[in-house]
Protein backbone atom coordinates (compact mmCIF):
# COMPACT_ATOMS: atom_id res chain seq x y z
CA UNK A 1 0.00 0.00 0.00
CA UNK A 2 1.43 3.40 -0.89
CA UNK A 3 2.00 6.02 1.79
CA UNK A 4 -0.66 8.15 0.12
CA UNK A 5 -3.43 5.62 0.67
CA UNK A 6 -2.56 5.23 4.37
CA UNK A 7 -2.43 8.92 5.26
CA UNK A 8 -5.48 11.12 5.49
CA UNK A 9 -4.55 14.79 5.55
CA UNK A 10 -7.12 17.45 6.23
CA UNK A 11 -8.26 18.74 2.84
CA UNK A 12 -9.06 22.22 1.57
CA UNK A 13 -12.82 21.43 1.24
CA UNK A 14 -12.81 20.14 4.85
CA UNK A 15 -11.38 23.47 6.05
CA UNK A 16 -13.88 25.42 3.92
CA UNK A 17 -16.74 23.34 5.34
CA UNK A 18 -15.87 24.44 8.89
CA UNK A 19 -17.41 27.89 8.26
CA UNK A 20 -19.52 28.70 11.32
CA UNK A 21 -18.74 25.28 12.83
CA UNK A 22 -16.05 23.88 15.14
CA UNK A 23 -13.26 26.50 15.37
CA UNK A 24 -10.27 25.84 13.13
CA UNK A 25 -6.97 25.42 14.99
CA UNK A 26 -3.81 26.52 13.25
CA UNK A 27 -0.23 27.53 13.98
CA UNK A 28 2.83 28.37 11.94
CA UNK A 29 5.75 26.00 11.71
CA UNK A 30 8.96 26.14 9.71
CA UNK A 31 10.71 22.88 10.61
CA UNK A 32 9.99 19.15 10.54
CA UNK A 33 10.35 18.64 14.29
CA UNK A 34 8.00 21.39 15.52
CA UNK A 35 5.61 20.58 12.68
CA UNK A 36 5.36 16.97 13.89
CA UNK A 37 4.19 18.21 17.30
CA UNK A 38 1.81 20.82 15.90
CA UNK A 39 0.41 18.22 13.48
CA UNK A 40 -1.24 16.38 16.38
CA UNK A 41 -3.47 19.35 17.21
CA UNK A 42 -3.76 21.67 14.23
CA UNK A 43 -6.20 21.50 11.33
CA UNK A 44 -3.74 23.35 9.14
CA UNK A 45 -0.13 24.44 9.50
CA UNK A 46 1.07 27.61 7.85
CA UNK A 47 4.65 27.85 6.65
CA UNK A 48 4.48 31.61 7.03
CA UNK A 49 6.93 34.07 5.53
CA UNK A 50 7.23 35.33 9.12
CA UNK A 51 10.07 32.77 9.09
CA UNK A 52 12.22 35.55 7.64
CA UNK A 53 11.90 37.50 10.88
CA UNK A 54 11.51 34.64 13.36
CA UNK A 55 14.20 32.29 12.04
CA UNK A 56 16.45 34.36 9.84
CA UNK A 57 16.68 37.61 11.79
CA UNK A 58 15.24 39.83 9.03
CA UNK A 59 13.47 43.02 10.10
CA UNK A 60 10.51 42.42 7.78
CA UNK A 61 9.15 39.67 5.54
CA UNK A 62 10.03 41.58 2.38
CA UNK A 63 13.43 39.89 1.94
CA UNK A 64 12.08 36.32 2.03
CA UNK A 65 12.70 34.40 -1.22
CA UNK A 66 10.70 31.72 -2.98
CA UNK A 67 13.57 29.25 -2.52
CA UNK A 68 13.58 29.83 1.25
CA UNK A 69 9.81 29.21 1.44
CA UNK A 70 10.26 26.00 -0.55
CA UNK A 71 13.06 24.68 1.70
CA UNK A 72 10.96 25.24 4.85
CA UNK A 73 7.72 24.11 3.20
CA UNK A 74 9.31 20.80 2.22
CA UNK A 75 10.56 20.25 5.79
CA UNK A 76 7.10 20.86 7.26
CA UNK A 77 5.40 18.52 4.77
CA UNK A 78 7.98 15.84 5.59
CA UNK A 79 7.38 16.24 9.33
CA UNK A 80 3.60 15.97 9.15
CA UNK A 81 0.93 13.53 8.09
CA UNK A 82 -2.43 14.89 9.25
CA UNK A 83 -2.72 18.66 8.93
CA UNK A 84 -3.22 20.58 5.70
CA UNK A 85 0.05 22.42 4.99
CA UNK A 86 -0.30 25.93 3.54
CA UNK A 87 2.80 27.75 2.27
CA UNK A 88 3.06 31.54 2.02
CA UNK A 89 3.90 33.11 -1.32
CA UNK A 90 6.67 35.60 -0.52
CA UNK A 91 6.76 39.25 -1.55
CA UNK A 92 7.54 39.66 -5.24
CA UNK A 93 6.47 36.15 -6.25
CA UNK A 94 2.83 36.85 -7.20
CA UNK A 95 1.98 40.56 -7.49
CA UNK A 96 3.27 41.14 -11.04
CA UNK A 97 0.64 39.14 -12.90
CA UNK A 98 -1.64 36.11 -12.50
CA UNK A 99 0.67 34.14 -14.82
CA UNK A 100 3.76 34.84 -12.70
CA UNK A 101 1.76 33.96 -9.58
CA UNK A 102 0.68 30.68 -11.16
CA UNK A 103 4.23 29.73 -12.14
CA UNK A 104 5.54 30.38 -8.63
CA UNK A 105 2.58 28.83 -6.81
CA UNK A 106 2.89 25.70 -8.97
CA UNK A 107 6.60 25.51 -8.04
CA UNK A 108 5.70 25.75 -4.35
CA UNK A 109 3.08 22.99 -4.68
CA UNK A 110 5.28 20.67 -6.75
CA UNK A 111 8.49 21.12 -4.77
CA UNK A 112 7.02 21.06 -1.25
CA UNK A 113 4.00 18.77 -1.57
CA UNK A 114 1.86 21.32 0.32
CA UNK A 115 -1.91 21.47 -0.14
CA UNK A 116 -2.45 25.22 -0.66
CA UNK A 117 -0.74 28.59 -0.85
CA UNK A 118 -1.47 31.88 0.92
CA UNK A 119 -1.05 35.34 -0.50
CA UNK A 120 -1.63 38.83 0.86
CA UNK A 121 -4.09 41.37 -0.53
CA UNK A 122 -7.83 41.78 -0.99
CA UNK A 123 -9.66 43.23 -4.00
CA UNK A 124 -6.37 44.00 -5.77
CA UNK A 125 -5.44 40.28 -5.75
CA UNK A 126 -8.89 38.94 -6.69
CA UNK A 127 -8.03 38.36 -10.35
CA UNK A 128 -4.92 36.39 -9.33
CA UNK A 129 -6.83 34.32 -6.77
CA UNK A 130 -9.38 33.40 -9.43
CA UNK A 131 -6.62 32.55 -11.94
CA UNK A 132 -4.92 30.22 -9.47
CA UNK A 133 -8.02 28.47 -8.13
CA UNK A 134 -9.39 27.87 -11.63
CA UNK A 135 -6.09 26.14 -12.43
CA UNK A 136 -6.01 23.81 -9.44
CA UNK A 137 -4.17 25.86 -6.82
CA UNK A 138 -6.16 26.38 -3.61
CA UNK A 139 -5.61 29.87 -2.19
CA UNK A 140 -5.93 31.18 1.34
CA UNK A 141 -6.23 34.97 1.27
CA UNK A 142 -4.82 37.39 3.87
CA UNK A 143 -6.29 40.85 4.50
CA UNK A 144 -6.20 43.57 7.17
CA UNK A 145 -2.64 44.06 8.34
CA UNK A 146 -0.59 42.63 5.49
CA UNK A 147 3.07 42.58 6.63
CA UNK A 148 4.49 42.44 3.09
CA UNK A 149 3.01 45.95 2.56
CA UNK A 150 4.38 47.31 5.85
CA UNK A 151 6.49 49.87 3.95
CA UNK A 152 3.34 51.29 2.33
CA UNK A 153 1.28 51.04 5.54
CA UNK A 154 4.01 52.79 7.56
CA UNK A 155 4.67 49.82 9.86
CA UNK A 156 2.65 47.06 11.50
CA UNK A 157 -0.55 48.93 12.36
CA UNK A 158 -3.91 47.62 13.55
CA UNK A 159 -6.45 48.09 10.78
CA UNK A 160 -9.99 49.46 11.10
CA UNK A 161 -9.47 51.86 13.99
CA UNK A 162 -11.25 54.45 11.87
CA UNK A 163 -14.76 53.16 11.18
CA UNK A 164 -14.76 54.95 7.85
CA UNK A 165 -12.21 52.41 6.54
CA UNK A 166 -14.40 49.40 7.37
CA UNK A 167 -16.11 49.37 3.98
CA UNK A 168 -12.73 48.88 2.26
CA UNK A 169 -11.86 45.87 4.42
CA UNK A 170 -15.35 44.43 3.93
CA UNK A 171 -14.96 44.86 0.17
CA UNK A 172 -11.60 43.04 0.34
CA UNK A 173 -13.20 40.13 2.20
CA UNK A 174 -16.08 39.94 -0.29
CA UNK A 175 -13.69 40.12 -3.28
CA UNK A 176 -11.42 37.27 -2.15
CA UNK A 177 -14.47 35.13 -1.32
CA UNK A 178 -15.99 35.78 -4.71
CA UNK A 179 -12.65 35.04 -6.42
CA UNK A 180 -12.57 31.53 -4.92
CA UNK A 181 -10.31 31.72 -1.84
CA UNK A 182 -11.16 28.82 0.51
CA UNK A 183 -10.40 30.81 3.69
CA UNK A 184 -9.06 34.22 4.63
CA UNK A 185 -6.67 35.35 7.35
CA UNK A 186 -7.79 38.53 9.13
CA UNK A 187 -4.66 39.99 10.71
CA UNK A 188 -4.36 42.94 13.08
CA UNK A 189 -7.93 44.12 12.71
CA UNK A 190 -10.17 45.75 15.33
CA UNK A 191 -12.44 43.18 16.96
CA UNK A 192 -15.88 44.44 15.81
CA UNK A 193 -14.73 44.66 12.18
CA UNK A 194 -13.30 41.12 12.20
CA UNK A 195 -16.51 39.81 13.82
CA UNK A 196 -18.61 41.68 11.25
CA UNK A 197 -16.62 40.31 8.29
CA UNK A 198 -16.88 36.80 9.75
CA UNK A 199 -20.65 37.18 9.71
CA UNK A 200 -20.70 38.55 6.17
CA UNK A 201 -18.69 36.06 4.10
CA UNK A 202 -19.21 32.42 3.24
CA UNK A 203 -15.61 31.24 3.80
CA UNK A 204 -13.85 30.68 7.14
CA UNK A 205 -12.02 33.63 8.64
CA UNK A 206 -8.79 32.84 10.48
CA UNK A 207 -7.95 35.51 13.04
CA UNK A 208 -4.59 36.71 14.29
CA UNK A 209 -4.89 39.75 16.53
CA UNK A 210 -8.50 40.06 15.32
CA UNK A 211 -11.52 38.47 17.05
CA UNK A 212 -12.40 35.32 19.02
CA UNK A 213 -15.51 35.24 16.81
CA UNK A 214 -13.42 34.34 13.74
CA UNK A 215 -13.97 30.81 12.42
CA UNK A 216 -10.45 29.86 13.47
CA UNK A 217 -7.25 31.27 14.94
CA UNK A 218 -3.59 31.24 14.02
CA UNK A 219 -0.51 32.27 15.98
CA UNK A 220 3.19 32.24 15.20
CA UNK A 221 4.43 29.18 17.09
CA UNK A 222 7.59 30.82 18.44
CA UNK A 223 5.50 33.74 19.78
CA UNK A 224 3.08 31.56 21.71
CA UNK A 225 5.94 29.41 23.04
CA UNK A 226 7.68 32.44 24.54
CA UNK A 227 10.75 31.99 22.35
CA UNK A 228 10.91 35.47 20.91
CA UNK A 229 12.17 38.39 22.98
CA UNK A 230 9.46 40.61 21.46
CA UNK A 231 5.93 39.43 20.72
CA UNK A 232 2.93 41.44 19.52
CA UNK A 233 0.68 42.70 22.35
CA UNK A 234 -2.25 40.44 21.43
CA UNK A 235 -0.25 37.20 21.73
CA UNK A 236 -0.93 35.05 24.77
CA UNK A 237 2.14 32.97 25.58
CA UNK A 238 1.37 29.34 26.39
CA UNK A 239 4.99 28.43 27.15
CA UNK A 240 8.22 30.01 28.35
CA UNK A 241 10.77 28.22 26.18
CA UNK A 242 13.24 31.09 25.80
CA UNK A 243 14.41 30.95 29.43
CA UNK A 244 14.18 27.10 29.44
CA UNK A 245 16.54 26.88 26.42
CA UNK A 246 18.89 29.41 27.96
CA UNK A 247 19.02 27.39 31.20
CA UNK A 248 19.81 24.18 29.29
CA UNK A 249 22.57 25.86 27.26
CA UNK A 250 24.08 27.42 30.36
CA UNK A 251 24.00 24.03 32.24
CA UNK A 252 25.75 22.42 29.28
CA UNK A 253 28.41 25.16 29.09
CA UNK A 254 29.00 24.80 32.82
CA UNK A 255 29.49 21.01 32.56
CA UNK A 256 31.88 21.35 29.60
CA UNK A 257 33.98 23.97 31.42
CA UNK A 258 34.07 22.06 34.72
CA UNK A 259 34.87 18.76 32.91
CA UNK A 260 31.76 17.13 34.41
CA UNK A 261 30.33 16.57 30.92
CA UNK A 262 29.39 12.83 30.68
CA UNK A 263 31.81 10.50 28.88
CA UNK A 264 31.27 8.83 25.54
CA UNK A 265 29.57 5.72 26.99
CA UNK A 266 26.84 7.96 28.45
CA UNK A 267 26.39 10.09 25.37
CA UNK A 268 25.89 7.31 22.76
CA UNK A 269 23.11 5.16 24.06
O1 LIG B 1 3.70 34.74 7.89
C1 LIG B 1 2.93 34.39 8.80
O2 LIG B 1 3.30 33.74 9.78
C2 LIG B 1 1.52 34.76 8.65
C3 LIG B 1 0.65 34.60 9.84
C4 LIG B 1 1.01 35.63 10.83
C5 LIG B 1 -0.78 34.63 9.50
O3 LIG B 1 1.13 35.21 7.62
Amino acid sequence: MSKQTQIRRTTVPQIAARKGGEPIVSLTSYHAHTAAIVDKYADFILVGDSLGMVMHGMDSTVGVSLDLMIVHGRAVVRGTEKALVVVDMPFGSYEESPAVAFRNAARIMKETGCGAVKLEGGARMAETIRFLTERGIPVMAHIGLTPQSSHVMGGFKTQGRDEETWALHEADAAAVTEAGAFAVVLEGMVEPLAARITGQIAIPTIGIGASAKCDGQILVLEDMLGLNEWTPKFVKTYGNLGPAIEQAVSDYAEEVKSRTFPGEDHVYR
Side-chain angles (χ1 to χ4, degrees):
M1 188 189 283
S2 80
K3 203 173 171 198
Q4 244 148 12
T5 53
Q6 292 169 330
I7 292 169
R8 293 271 177 273
R9 273 189 196 272
T10 302
T11 63
V12 161
Q14 284 169 340
I15 296 290
R18 296 271 287 275
K19 176 71 192 175
E22 188 193 349
I24 298 163
V25 178
S26 70
L27 282 164
T28 62
S29 173
Y30 320 124
H31 348 78
H33 56 87
T34 55
I37 298 169
V38 173
D39 192 43
K40 296 181 189 165
Y41 304 96
D43 298 301
F44 78 86
I45 297 176
L46 173 69
V47 185
D49 63 351
S50 52
L51 63 82
M53 300 170 79
V54 175
M55 284 205 63
H56 295 275
M58 299 176 181
D59 57 9
S60 82
T61 56
V62 171
V64 175
S65 68
L66 191 61
D67 287 342
L68 197 56
M69 293 310 302
I70 288 172
V71 166
H72 287 283
R74 205 182 281 147
V76 169
V77 171
R78 278 196 207 111
T80 55
E81 50 184 32
K82 181 183 115 344
L84 172 71
V85 177
V86 182
V87 176
D88 252 342
M89 298 199 70
F91 178 68
S93 70
Y94 61 94
E95 301 88 335
E96 189 179 336
S97 69
V100 167
F102 179 80
R103 195 172 317 128
N104 289 327
R107 232 194 106 193
I108 291 176
M109 305 256 324
K110 279 172 189 272
E111 294 182 29
T112 67
C114 72
V117 298
K118 176 169 81 58
L119 54 81
E120 295 183 8
R124 71 186 165 85
M125 292 313 305
E127 188 192 347
T128 297
I129 293 171
R130 187 184 314 284
F131 193 88
L132 298 187
T133 54
E134 282 176 351
R135 286 161 181 77
I137 298 185
V139 178
M140 178 175 285
H142 182 158
I143 63 170
L145 194 171
T146 46
Q148 292 176 10
S149 314
S150 62
H151 291 299
V152 175
M153 289 175 154
F156 297 91
K157 293 193 176 142
T158 302
Q159 302 295 298
R161 287 205 194 283
D162 176 358
E163 216 170 311
E164 280 182 13
T165 65
W166 285 18
L168 280 174
H169 296 293
E170 289 173 36
D172 276 342
V176 300
T177 305
E178 213 259 318
F182 70 93
V184 56
V185 170
L186 307 183
E187 177 166 0
M189 190 178 272
V190 292
E191 203 279 333
L193 174 59
R196 198 173 143 106
I197 288 176
T198 299
Q200 284 172 349
I201 60 175
I203 58 174
T205 57
I206 310 296
I208 172 162
S211 168
K213 297 200 179 93
C214 288
D215 299 297
Q217 301 295 331
I218 186 161
L219 285 176
V220 170
L221 182 67
E222 284 76 357
D223 284 347
M224 62 84 91
L225 290 179
L227 259 175
N228 292 334
E229 267 177 35
W230 179 88
T231 53
K233 264 195 288 188
F234 62 83
V235 174
K236 176 175 170 189
T237 48
Y238 292 81
N240 200 13
L241 290 201
I245 291 176
E246 184 163 346
Q247 186 61 55
V249 173
S250 119
D251 289 351
Y252 164 74
E254 196 47 51
E255 288 197 355
V256 171
K257 284 187 198 155
S258 63
R259 298 197 187 282
T260 54
F261 182 71
E264 207 179 277
D265 51 334
H266 294 277
V267 178
Y268 296 100
R269 281 190 277 267

